[in-house]
Every structure is written in C-alpha cells, then in structure tokens.
Amino acid sequence: MRMYDVIEKKRDGGELTNEEIDFFVNGYVSGDVTDYQAAALCMAIFYKGMNARETARLTMDMAHSGDMMDLSGIKGIKVDKHSTGGVGDKTTLVLAPIVASLGVPVAKMSGRGLGHTGGTLDKLESIPGLSIDIDLNRFFEIVNTVGCAVVGQTGNLVPADKKLYALRDVTATVDSIPLIASSIMSKKIAAGADKILLDVKCGSGAFMKTPEDAIRLAQAMVEIGEEVGRTTVALITDMGRPLGNAIGNALEVIEACDTLKGVAPEDLTETCIELAANMLFLAGKASLEECRDLARDQIDNGEAFVKLHEMVEAQGGDSRALDDYSLFAQPKVSREVRATESGWVFTMDTERTGIASVALGAGRATKEDAIDPAAGIMLAAKTGAYLKKGDLMATLYAADEARLDEGERILREAYELREEEPAPIPHFFARVSRDGVDRLA
C-alpha cells in the first residue's frame, strides 16, 4: 500500500477502507508517513469529507495510537463531559461536585488554555496548593472515596492526535468536521468513560459560529460515539457572549464557588444545571426533568459545595480559599472600564473578550507563556444590557498598567452599542442524541 494512492483516492472523493485509514494513522505515528503526506490527506479530507464509518475508524485508530485508560477500577458508571471551548467556561468546576454528590463518579482529565479560551487545569491551579499532577493509583483512590477528581492527562494518550492537530493548525485544515470530531472523540474514548456528554459551543467565542454548524459537528461526534459503543449526547450552547461574568483563573474559580452557593449569574447557573442533568441522565439516575431537580437540590442544600471542598482537599489544595477569597492570589492593579456613550449592548465579540483577558495575563498566546492567576475581567454588562454614558462595563485586573491599557483597548473593541434593543439570545439551541436533533430554540 502507498500513501500516494490513499491521498489520490480521497482527493478524488473516494471512500477510504479501514485498512487504508489504519495504514495512514499507524504510519504517521511511526514516522513512515511524512508531514507533507499527512497534510495532503488532511486537505483532501477538508474538501471531500468522510462518512460516518470513515470518521469512526479514524477516531478509533487515533484513540488506540497510545495508551487507553482503563477506568474499571472506579466503581459506577463513568460519565465524561467535554466542552469545545469558550470564554468564561468554568462549568467543570461546578458540574463535577454536583454530579459526584449524587453518587455518579467523575474521573476527569482536562487541559490547559491556549489562545482566547481558558483551561480547567489553569483555573484549578489558582487554588493554593492544589495539584493536578496525580498518579493513576491516587487518581482512582480519590474518585472512589470523594467521587470526583480533575487532573492533567497521564500517560501517552492519543499521540496521533497530538501530531495531527499541530499539523492541521499550520496547514489551514482545522475547520473540518471529520477532523474536529475525530480529534475530540479520540481523546474522550481513550480516556475510558462509559458515557460521553458534549457541550458544543456556538457563537462569536466558539469555533462553530452558527447553531447549524454546531449541530453538524455534534451529529458527527454522536455518530462516532454510538458507532464504537459509547452512549453520547451533545448540547448546543451559547458562546455568543462570555459564560458568567468572570474571565480569568482565580476569578472563575470564585464564580464557580458562588454558583455552588446559589449566587451566580443566571446564564452560568442554568447551563450548569442542564449539563449536570444530562450527565446524571446518562448515568441512569432518573428522567431528564427529575435530574434537573436533583442538580438544583444539590446546590440549594449545599451538598455540591461540600463535595468541591472534599475534592480540593484530596488534591492537596487549601479549601479555605473556597470561602475566604482573599487567600487567592491578588491582582497588583485594577481598572474600571466605563461606557463612553449610551446604548444597548447589541453584540459582543466574545473571542475579542477572551483575547483581552490574555493581554491582561490570564491566558497564553503560546504554550510557553506563564499565566497570572489573579489577572482577568469581571464583566458588569453583556449583550442585552442597557448602558448609560459612564456606566460600568467591566473591571480589569492585571500585574501592571501597560497590561491594563492593552486589555482595555481590546475589550472596548468587543462591545457594539446601538440604540435598538437586541433580541434575546437562548442559552441552549439543541440537544443531539442517537434519536436525532431536539431543537430547543
């Protein structure tokens, strides 16, 4: 078999056999297939696509290219949640303790932030003393005793995806549903969960800009999950504005704590309730509506917040910080950003808002950049708010005035004010499962 023939076949719109896909993935990981050959095939896939069987085979080959996690040592049905990324997305910090407090284990491996989206590991590491570098035996022990743990990736998971993603990033082939779907799902399958919940974002702060594009991606991922025997459900959620008001690592942990105390912004709370309900539903706890009530109850009765304390302590963190926010790293300087005119916040460029937080020091432009855990943005107005001239739009936090200057400049570019009031934006657009697409808005 020759890689030339595989590339030519897909270039001409042909359907690749399982053997041809195996040949490509195995060869690319071993080095027998070159970067330029892999890039050519990715471009052919970009233009010609893949059917459900091809995408599922590519996904499984990528998943099996390295270590496969065996979570059988953890009692119960393991449900994993994956978000396609966004600004202010701290849902894992809320979901894990809600779901775990109801007896469903959450054994989660998360990533770091890069670009305009934040990473769960960076947020957790802003808690004094907390470690995300935990060996597998201790990881299992925490999940079995506490019910949840969130750690960094262990072992050699999905090396094929690492190589392919880096290549796609520099060859303009990121924006391909089969390649996105196989990248996400290969990691979820390798991580060993029994059931998978996908939070597929859409809007100005997401990779998929429209609900229809997000639904197509969700359908591809659900098909993959079901094809390989993992029950998979996807929710299409809004990222046309930041989620919650906090953007930045310590700020987002604090807002997650407030959510579990019942005093968070409505959009964040409702998104967390719906995601938690779907995780509980996948675990077989009750009907979807009953699971929503269960999730709300765990916030109201304080049990989910207690579970967060337990998880933080088990991972070496100082859980006092969850109640005494002064124990988090504190910003050196801050600035209020106020409206220079009156009007409705008609739209927000959420990606630009995320980039503003990176400029303040809350994120990374490159993998090597250090993060300031105290840096970030607290929004006072989002899409749909009416501002009078001089009203507070946001408060910025950083290590120096130069960062505040740059952060303010970028953040102001993210706001569009108009005289007319915008139409309401739903938090949820659709739920995608093996039964089809249930439109929610």
Side-chain angles (χ1 to χ4, degrees), residues 125-144:
E125 284 187 324
S126 70
I127 300 172
L130 187 140
S131 173
I132 52 86
D133 296 316
I134 294 172
D135 69 56
L136 204 56
N137 288 334
R138 177 59 180 154
F139 178 47
F140 282 17
E141 181 184 353
I142 293 172
V143 177
N144 277 326

Side-chain angles (χ1 to χ4, degrees), residues 1-78:
M1 190 178 295
R2 297 189 308 164
M3 193 61 204
Y4 177 96
D5 299 319
V6 177
I7 296 167
E8 182 181 48
K9 184 177 182 181
K10 180 50 69 176
R11 181 201 69 186
D12 295 340
E15 179 181 336
L16 300 181
T17 66
N18 289 345
E19 293 73 23
E20 287 167 333
I21 296 169
D22 298 348
F23 175 77
F24 163 60
V25 174
N26 294 335
Y28 191 46
V29 172
S30 69
D32 293 335
V33 172
T34 65
D35 275 347
Y36 59 81
Q37 289 173 317
L41 182 60
C42 285
M43 189 61 77
I45 293 169
F46 179 90
Y47 281 113
K48 299 299 183 179
M50 283 181 138
N51 64 25
R53 182 203 53 79
E54 288 176 292
T55 308
R57 187 68 176 204
L58 176 61
T59 302
M60 291 307 290
D61 279 352
M62 289 166 61
H64 284 279
S65 66
D67 297 339
M68 294 287 287
M69 289 290 294
D70 179 4
L71 300 183
S72 60
I74 296 173
K75 300 183 291 287
I77 298 173
K78 279 74 69 177

Side-chain angles (χ1 to χ4, degrees), residues 336-342 387-393 417:
E336 293 183 343
V337 178
R338 295 187 174 274
T340 58
E341 59 180 330
S342 298
L387 290 170
K388 295 180 181 177
K389 183 177 180 179
D391 281 352
L392 182 66
M393 299 167 65
L417 268 63

Side-chain angles (χ1 to χ4, degrees), residues 21 25 29 54-69 80 82 109 153-154 156-165 168 177-193 196 198 217 220-226 228 230 232:
I21 296 169
V25 174
V29 172
E54 288 176 292
T55 308
R57 187 68 176 204
L58 176 61
T59 302
M60 291 307 290
D61 279 352
M62 289 166 61
H64 284 279
S65 66
D67 297 339
M68 294 287 287
M69 289 290 294
D80 198 359
H82 175 81
M109 293 184 182
Q153 181 175 303
T154 61
N156 182 35
L157 288 183
V158 202
D161 181 61
K162 292 185 181 73
K163 289 191 71 174
L164 266 182
Y165 191 88
R168 289 164 52 216
I177 283 180
L179 295 177
I180 298 168
S182 59
S183 174
I184 291 171
M185 292 301 290
S186 63
K187 292 191 282 281
K188 293 296 100 182
I189 291 164
I196 300 168
L198 302 165
L217 174 59
M221 292 191 288
V222 168
E223 283 181 358
I224 292 169
E226 297 292 338
V228 301
R230 309 291 175 92
T232 305

Side-chain angles (χ1 to χ4, degrees), residues 114-425:
L114 185 62
H116 75 279
T117 62
T120 299
L121 297 184
D122 300 314
K123 295 165 192 175
L124 280 171
E125 284 187 324
S126 70
I127 300 172
L130 187 140
S131 173
I132 52 86
D133 296 316
I134 294 172
D135 69 56
L136 204 56
N137 288 334
R138 177 59 180 154
F139 178 47
F140 282 17
E141 181 184 353
I142 293 172
V143 177
N144 277 326
T145 54
V146 173
C148 56
V150 183
V151 300
Q153 181 175 303
T154 61
N156 182 35
L157 288 183
V158 202
D161 181 61
K162 292 185 181 73
K163 289 191 71 174
L164 266 182
Y165 191 88
L167 185 73
R168 289 164 52 216
D169 196 37
V170 294
T171 57
T173 53
V174 170
D175 189 9
S176 161
I177 283 180
L179 295 177
I180 298 168
S182 59
S183 174
I184 291 171
M185 292 301 290
S186 63
K187 292 191 282 281
K188 293 296 100 182
I189 291 164
D194 302 311
K195 318 273 186 173
I196 300 168
L197 175 66
L198 302 165
D199 178 8
V200 183
K201 304 291 188 186
C202 67
S204 61
F207 191 72
M208 312 310 284
K209 301 303 182 186
T210 69
E212 292 306 317
D213 286 343
I215 288 170
R216 280 193 289 273
L217 174 59
Q219 288 174 311
M221 292 191 288
V222 168
E223 283 181 358
I224 292 169
E226 297 292 338
E227 181 86 9
V228 301
R230 309 291 175 92
T231 304
T232 305
V233 168
L235 287 176
I236 312 302
T237 65
D238 174 53
M239 192 44 67
R241 57 204 158 179
L243 186 59
N245 295 331
I247 307 167
N249 298 288
L251 293 173
E252 291 192 43
V253 174
I254 290 168
E255 189 166 65
C257 291
D258 286 345
T259 306
L260 292 172
K261 295 173 185 176
V263 291
E266 181 264 346
D267 64 333
L268 176 58
T269 299
E270 289 307 306
T271 298
C272 289
I273 291 292
E274 192 64 24
L275 292 170
N278 275 269
M279 291 180 74
L280 294 166
F281 175 76
L282 286 171
K285 292 296 288 186
S287 71
L288 196 51
E289 187 55 46
E290 289 169 329
C291 287
R292 292 185 185 104
D293 293 337
L294 287 172
R296 288 191 181 92
D297 288 345
Q298 295 309 96
I299 292 176
D300 293 342
N301 64 27
E303 290 184 18
F305 188 50
V306 169
K307 188 60 66 179
L308 179 62
H309 272 262
E310 293 174 0
M311 186 189 87
V312 167
E313 290 166 4
Q315 293 190 219
D318 185 351
S319 66
R320 296 176 303 165
L322 307 181
D323 296 293
D324 181 359
Y325 300 153
S326 69
L327 296 176
F328 284 94
Q330 299 298 309
K332 292 184 171 61
V333 293
S334 64
R335 177 182 300 171
E336 293 183 343
V337 178
R338 295 187 174 274
T340 58
E341 59 180 330
S342 298
W344 293 94
V345 180
F346 196 80
T347 60
M348 288 186 74
D349 185 332
T350 306
E351 182 176 354
R352 293 296 290 169
T353 307
I355 292 169
S357 75
V358 174
L360 292 166
R364 296 180 181 86
T366 71
K367 289 188 294 185
E368 292 74 29
D369 288 349
I371 277 182
D372 176 1
I377 303 169
M378 279 300 297
L379 297 170
K382 298 196 296 185
T383 306
Y386 184 80
L387 290 170
K388 295 180 181 177
K389 183 177 180 179
D391 281 352
L392 182 66
M393 299 167 65
T395 304
L396 312 183
Y397 302 94
D400 56 62
E401 293 291 332
R403 284 188 175 275
L404 289 179
D405 290 342
E406 182 67 0
E408 179 178 356
R409 181 188 68 79
I410 298 170
L411 181 66
R412 287 191 180 279
E413 293 174 352
Y415 279 85
E416 181 189 5
L417 268 63
R418 293 190 189 178
E419 292 184 0
E420 68 263 36
E421 183 178 1
I425 304 172

